[in-house]
Amino acid sequence: MTEASPEVEHHTTLALDIGGTWIRAATVTHDGQLLGARKQASPTTGSAAEILALCAQLADEARAASPVPPRGLGVSTTGPVNPQTGVLYDPPNTPAGFSGLPLGQYLRERLELAVVVDRDVNAAALAEQRFGAARGCTDFVYLTVSTGIGGAVIADGELLRGADGAAGELGHVVVAPGGPTCGCGRRGCLEAVAAGPAIGRAADRHARAHPGSGLAQLRDSLGGTPLRGHQVGAAALDGDPDAREILAAAGAAVVSSIVDIVNVFNPQRVVLGGSVAMAQPCWIEKANAAVRQSALQPASETARVVPTELGDNGGLLGAALLLDRPTEADHAARHRRR
Amino acid sequence: MTEASPEVEHHTTLALDIGGTWIRAATVTHDGQLLGARKQASPTTGSAAEILALCAQLADEARAASPVPPRGLGVSTTGPVNPQTGVLYDPPNTPAGFSGLPLGQYLRERLELAVVVDRDVNAAALAEQRFGAARGCTDFVYLTVSTGIGGAVIADGELLRGADGAAGELGHVVVAPGGPTCGCGRRGCLEAVAAGPAIGRAADRHARAHPGSGLAQLRDSLGGTPLRGHQVGAAALDGDPDAREILAAAGAAVVSSIVDIVNVFNPQRVVLGGSVAMAQPCWIEKANAAVRQSALQPASETARVVPTELGDNGGLLGAALLLDRPTEADHAARHRRR
């Protein structure tokens, strides 16, 4: 099956999206349809062997839905990965078993398919460029605000990779010096201020400091367990003023970071995705206003901030597109040779 | 003379470096020697016509030193510029007459030479890559801390340009929310905290708030004129504790920004230049320690922070190198066609 030709017009690609919360698989058609989609919770305490076996099983199940032999397997995965070897690095926010996971080699041997592995944000950016909110763009930034905050940059048509394929960590830029401690060890990173868990922790701090507040009552009603980002979002929708203020502060940090991004990358678009950002559609309008008013010319006039069009499917669709970019897999090799 | 072949091994290139403080010109040999170097103070109140005439005059004088007809003129200029048309945009920190200056066309006609125009930071980055602190690097960031703070990014061997050629404004990233107002209108940009004038203003604020302090005495001894960055630097060297603290705060902001840069770009090197940074060599060591300790793996292990090797000559040397990159001039055209 590794001989399936990429020239076949109606090819399919097997796709795997490995996140901290879900592992998903599907057969992706040439025009971006998902067939035989599967998902299962990521094993947060599993060993490397268990995680690898689960990935192979889901991919195998999704392969059964393909009308033709898939041309290969694209894998999008949480956290930085060496795109040449398909081995994961050890980032914050990644379950323990994921560190050093030899994804590429294992899946290649187990499934007997060509395999390309890349970061989920890179895959999602490629998907937005082909099928979504960045169609036709050569210069754009994809920013996801979810359990973590990550980014991918397409510059002059190419993914910005950096020396080790680890570029794009837009969530690990300090936006609040001396602020909350981040999973990466620094204080006040955008991720420590505006990702879902950071919003939950801010609400918790507020609840503990103000025992009579709505957030404190919410926390008590949940048995005193730490609040989570989506619960703060729900409280804000119900009109809780403290929840609204906490979300507004997170939004202001994201908006200011988007202005920074426009100054640094001069993109045509900033595509905003991730569960936290998707739940706060007003951030898009605020970011556009801030870019117009505060970014440098001419970047301020060029950039448009837009919501993801593909949402949760970006990682899977983009994983399939990794097979369109044969140079991605050997980027690191080319890089070292020069 | 426009027919001078770039294949000639021992060619020369005319180079012009237009800064907010100085306009400099020289003939640059193929191996990076400067011949017939000229410089004159930038006319801060001059009209566009005066600035253009001065540029042409200095270039003409420098051309006289060239042993062979130069193959063309490379121009590095302060602030963003459209590399296709050679027209300057209107950035902060640029003297009024520079806005909209049609540099490329004027100099092409006046000097009868092929002309390529680009931002000074882009030129300086190319020079460090060829002759200086980034020799052999495919992925690095050049950061200059001077009257302003600017950056240039080389990613996978190419300049990061963005949609309008305005990418790389690393000085206009907020590092101190609610901090001092920046020339760009935002508050707390790195430039508003750590550039030379920002250091001078911080010392001024301190002098006004603490009339008996050494900085207040220094200010009085200068007739009450606002302090300037290099005067604060001299006071720090003389042991003034307040001047040291102000410089340490600026240094901490630069160091933290360098960690951000490592996370975002995963570079092999960060080359630190500009008069303010060159006067504070301890920033290099502090930045390397912070990158090792605080940046994400694997970027933290790859990146080295190094001082500029070319200093003030980077802009001129890099201007000459712009002629080696024929694709730079029509980048925007290619970009728009895709």
Side-chain angles (χ1 to χ4, degrees):
Chain A
M1 270 177 291
T2 52
E3 283 75 35
S5 164
E7 285 81 37
V8 174
E9 192 185 350
H10 291 140
H11 64 71
T12 65
T13 312
L14 205 52
L16 193 59
D17 182 21
I18 305 175
T21 310
W22 297 104
I23 297 178
R24 307 172 72 207
T27 286
V28 180
T29 65
H30 70 285
D31 57 351
Q33 306 302 310
L34 301 179
L35 307 178
R38 295 279 180 285
K39 80 175 182 182
Q40 201 157 319
S42 299
T44 50
T45 56
S47 68
E50 284 174 78
I51 297 165
L52 291 169
L54 177 59
C55 288
Q57 179 204 323
L58 290 171
D60 238 1
E61 289 173 12
R63 172 153 63 175
S66 184
V68 294
R71 60 180 179 156
L73 168 67
V75 182
S76 73
T77 177
T78 182
V81 60
N82 182 328
Q84 189 189 16
T85 62
V87 174
L88 302 194
Y89 295 116
D90 181 22
N93 297 327
T94 308
F98 283 43
S99 172
L101 207 63
L103 264 178
Q105 190 193 346
Y106 177 86
L107 293 170
R108 200 171 290 123
E109 291 171 4
R110 176 78 170 64
L111 298 170
E112 296 184 330
L113 281 174
V115 175
V116 182
V117 185
D118 210 332
R119 292 168 69 208
D120 49 8
V121 279
N122 286 352
L126 294 175
E128 296 288 349
Q129 186 183 34
R130 177 77 67 90
F131 300 119
R135 271 188 293 264
C137 291
T138 56
D139 293 83
F140 70 97
V141 177
Y142 175 81
L143 182 69
T144 173
V145 184
S146 179
T147 308
I149 296 184
V153 179
I154 303 267
D156 202 18
E158 296 297 327
L159 272 167
L160 179 80
R161 295 200 159 279
D164 308 294
E169 292 288 0
L170 300 170
H172 297 284
V173 169
V174 171
V175 300
T181 299
C182 184
C184 76
R186 291 172 90 196
R187 295 184 66 177
C189 286
L190 179 61
E191 179 168 298
V193 169
I199 291 169
R201 285 191 296 268
D204 262 340
R205 283 192 299 272
H206 188 280
R208 283 194 303 270
H210 302 87
S213 66
L215 287 175
Q217 290 168 23
L218 173 62
R219 195 167 185 273
D220 293 343
S221 75
L222 296 166
T225 57
L227 289 167
R228 299 182 60 185
H230 68 88
Q231 293 162 337
V232 182
L237 281 178
D238 285 348
D240 183 280
D242 302 322
R244 288 191 168 188
E245 199 168 302
I246 287 165
L247 277 168
V254 169
V255 164
S256 178
S257 277
I258 289 174
V259 178
D260 294 343
I261 285 168
V262 169
N263 285 341
V264 169
F265 293 104
N266 182 20
Q268 296 160 306
R269 306 260 167 89
V270 178
V271 179
L272 190 57
S275 57
V276 172
M278 285 193 285
Q280 306 297 327
C282 67
W283 289 3
I284 298 288
E285 192 184 334
K286 287 179 179 167
N288 274 307
V291 166
R292 292 287 166 282
Q293 194 196 326
S294 302
L296 296 171
Q297 287 188 315
S300 61
E301 287 158 25
T302 298
R304 284 203 298 126
V305 186
V306 295
T308 170
E309 289 184 12
L310 306 175
D312 288 342
N313 288 335
L316 265 182
L317 287 167
L321 296 177
L322 295 172
L323 272 289
D324 294 342
R325 304 171 73 92
T327 58
E328 298 297 335
D330 60 359
H331 167 88
R334 284 188 298 120
H335 189 274
R336 297 299 181 201
R337 275 201 301 274
R338 269 188 293 195
Chain B
M1 269 178 291
T2 53
E3 284 75 35
S5 162
E7 285 79 39
V8 174
E9 194 185 348
H10 292 142
H11 63 71
T12 66
T13 313
L14 205 52
L16 192 59
D17 182 22
I18 306 174
T21 310
W22 298 103
I23 298 179
R24 307 172 73 208
T27 286
V28 180
T29 65
H30 70 284
D31 57 351
Q33 306 302 310
L34 301 179
L35 307 177
R38 295 280 180 282
K39 78 175 184 183
Q40 202 158 316
S42 299
T44 50
T45 56
S47 68
E50 285 174 78
I51 296 165
L52 290 169
L54 177 59
C55 288
Q57 179 204 324
L58 289 171
D60 237 1
E61 290 172 13
R63 171 152 64 172
S66 183
V68 294
R71 60 179 178 156
L73 169 66
V75 183
S76 73
T77 178
T78 183
V81 60
N82 181 328
Q84 188 188 18
T85 62
V87 174
L88 303 193
Y89 294 115
D90 180 21
N93 298 327
T94 307
F98 284 41
S99 171
L101 206 62
L103 265 178
Q105 190 193 347
Y106 177 86
L107 292 169
R108 200 171 290 125
E109 291 171 5
R110 176 78 169 65
L111 298 169
E112 296 184 331
L113 281 172
V115 175
V116 182
V117 186
D118 211 331
R119 294 168 68 206
D120 49 9
V121 279
N122 286 351
L126 293 175
E128 296 287 351
Q129 186 183 34
R130 177 77 66 91
F131 300 119
R135 271 189 293 265
C137 292
T138 55
D139 291 84
F140 69 98
V141 176
Y142 176 81
L143 181 69
T144 173
V145 184
S146 180
T147 308
I149 296 184
V153 179
I154 304 266
D156 201 19
E158 296 296 327
L159 272 166
L160 179 79
R161 295 201 159 279
D164 308 295
E169 292 288 0
L170 299 171
H172 297 284
V173 168
V174 171
V175 300
T181 300
C182 185
C184 76
R186 292 171 89 194
R187 296 183 65 176
C189 285
L190 179 61
E191 179 167 300
V193 169
I199 291 168
R201 284 191 297 268
D204 263 341
R205 283 194 298 272
H206 188 279
R208 284 195 302 272
H210 302 88
S213 66
L215 288 175
Q217 290 168 24
L218 173 63
R219 196 168 185 271
D220 292 345
S221 76
L222 297 165
T225 56
L227 289 167
R228 299 183 60 187
H230 68 90
Q231 293 161 337
V232 182
L237 281 178
D238 284 348
D240 184 279
D242 302 323
R244 288 190 168 189
E245 199 169 303
I246 286 164
L247 276 168
V254 170
V255 165
S256 178
S257 277
I258 288 174
V259 178
D260 295 343
I261 284 168
V262 169
N263 285 342
V264 169
F265 292 105
N266 182 21
Q268 296 160 306
R269 305 259 169 89
V270 178
V271 179
L272 190 57
S275 57
V276 173
M278 286 192 284
Q280 306 297 327
C282 67
W283 290 4
I284 298 288
E285 192 184 334
K286 286 179 179 168
N288 274 308
V291 165
R292 291 288 166 280
Q293 194 195 328
S294 302
L296 295 171
Q297 286 187 316
S300 60
E301 288 158 26
T302 297
R304 284 202 300 126
V305 186
V306 295
T308 169
E309 289 184 13
L310 306 174
D312 289 343
N313 288 335
L316 266 182
L317 287 166
L321 296 177
L322 295 173
L323 272 290
D324 295 341
R325 304 172 73 92
T327 57
E328 298 298 334
D330 58 2
H331 168 88
R334 283 189 298 118
H335 189 275
R336 297 300 182 199
R337 276 202 301 273
R338 267 189 293 197

